[in-house]
Amino acid sequence: MPSSHYIHGSHEEEQARLSRLNDLINGLCLRELALTPGRRILDVGCGLGQLSRAMARAVAPGGKVVGIERDPAQLAEAARQAAAASEESLVDFRPGDALALPLTTAERASFDVAHARFILEHVPDPIAVVKQMLRAVRPGGRLVLADDDHDLLRLWPEPAGLAPLWDAYCRTYTRLGNDPFIGRKLVQLLHDAGARPLRNTTLFFGACAGHADFHPLVTNMLRILEGARPTIVQHGPLDDEHVRAGIDSLRAWSTRPDAALWFVICWAEAVAP
């Protein structure tokens, strides 16, 4: 079931945003994953399944990808998109919770890679999720975490009103019991779960005016804030007028020829003992 801790929801507009986001970043994530044919992959919180299907193509022939998603609307859209691409059998999509992975006894401790992206920032107990992932991989298998640290966002020249709006957005995470800064803690989470951290890096998620990715990235940010606006207002400290003003300022800023957006996705991986 959808979680009350998830700020964005799974309505049609949000699914469209996520699809476009996948187009922007999946290539970067696949590069870092460096998957090879024959591997067994567990994708926890697979959402719309676009990255799961890309993983499945990377591990073919002989590989397998199991995608776990708790939101039935996301899972239904994942199935629809897979069917539209004639890839219905590419991924084993399953309903289930990251805190209680729907795996058989034989599947536990059998995966080569357990992966979770943009999940830990939306759960109140991220270490429990990582422990579930650790139990799913074989000895020597990899755990891969990718998530946000919202404090790393920088826009320049800074749009008027954006700083208090972004701060209010981050506070909304906290008030829902989530962690908007989880990205900086990924290595510690892997260690505390009992895995052996091996590597951390960042994936650049930004562009400047004139780059082909700039407007899609700003549009993604605008839609995040527009979608989260009711929740931001509900939990304060900004009222609707100030939230709208910050969004309008960001939209106007995006037309500047000297505008630049800087953000990174935090990445960490470890091996199971």
Side-chain angles (χ1 to χ4, degrees):
M1 296 294 294
S3 171
S4 60
H5 296 275
Y6 184 62
I7 190 173
H8 301 299
S10 56
H11 49 81
E12 186 175 340
E13 294 82 1
E14 173 61 12
Q15 290 180 341
R17 181 190 73 82
L18 290 173
S19 287
R20 287 186 288 268
L21 179 62
N22 273 264
D23 290 339
L24 288 168
I25 66 175
N26 281 358
L28 294 173
C29 294
L30 287 170
R31 182 196 69 197
E32 294 299 328
L33 279 164
L35 300 174
T36 54
R39 298 296 184 181
R40 294 170 54 85
I41 314 298
L42 177 65
D43 193 15
V44 179
C46 63
L48 302 181
Q50 289 162 279
L51 181 58
S52 305
R53 288 189 285 120
M55 291 177 182
R57 292 190 292 270
V59 299
K64 178 179 181 179
V65 176
V66 174
I68 309 297
E69 174 56 45
R70 70 174 296 170
D71 188 325
Q74 300 289 72
L75 205 58
E77 178 62 12
R80 188 200 69 77
Q81 291 191 13
S86 299
E87 294 181 338
E88 298 96 324
S89 61
L90 205 56
V91 175
D92 180 1
F93 288 118
R94 301 180 189 177
D97 196 303
L99 293 171
L101 295 173
L103 302 175
T104 66
T105 301
E107 287 175 324
R108 295 192 179 277
S110 72
F111 290 92
D112 298 295
V113 180
H115 166 269
R117 184 179 73 178
F118 302 150
I119 299 303
L120 301 181
E121 64 181 299
H122 297 296
V123 297
D125 191 4
I127 187 66
V129 175
V130 181
K131 287 179 177 178
Q132 283 278 313
M133 294 171 66
L134 179 60
R135 286 193 282 270
V137 298
R138 61 171 175 79
R142 297 163 62 201
L143 286 82
V144 178
L145 307 177
D147 227 307
D148 290 322
D149 183 332
H150 289 290
D151 192 41
L152 299 178
L153 176 71
R154 295 293 184 273
L155 275 67
W156 196 262
E158 188 171 299
L162 179 65
L165 173 54
W166 195 251
D167 179 67
Y169 173 64
C170 292
R171 290 191 189 189
T172 301
Y173 271 77
T174 303
R175 290 174 183 179
L176 290 173
N178 301 331
D179 188 345
F181 313 119
I182 197 73
R184 69 185 70 173
K185 305 169 186 176
L186 297 181
V187 171
Q188 182 182 23
L189 285 169
L190 289 166
H191 173 269
D192 289 351
R196 180 166 61 89
L198 287 183
R199 187 172 77 98
N200 69 306
T201 188
T202 56
L203 309 183
F204 182 60
F205 185 68
C208 64
H211 191 280
D213 288 345
F214 178 71
H215 285 290
L217 289 170
V218 176
T219 298
N220 177 73
M221 188 175 173
L222 282 166
R223 289 183 173 159
I224 284 174
L225 292 171
E226 288 165 348
R229 180 171 58 83
T231 309
I232 295 172
V233 172
Q234 176 186 352
H235 291 276
L238 296 184
D239 59 23
D240 191 63
E241 180 181 355
H242 285 89
V243 173
R244 287 180 182 273
I247 292 172
D248 289 343
S249 177
L250 175 60
R251 186 176 290 109
W253 170 87
S254 70
T255 66
R256 294 185 60 134
D258 60 346
L261 184 157
W262 310 81
F263 192 61
V264 294
I265 300 166
C266 299
W267 179 283
E269 57 184 272
V271 295

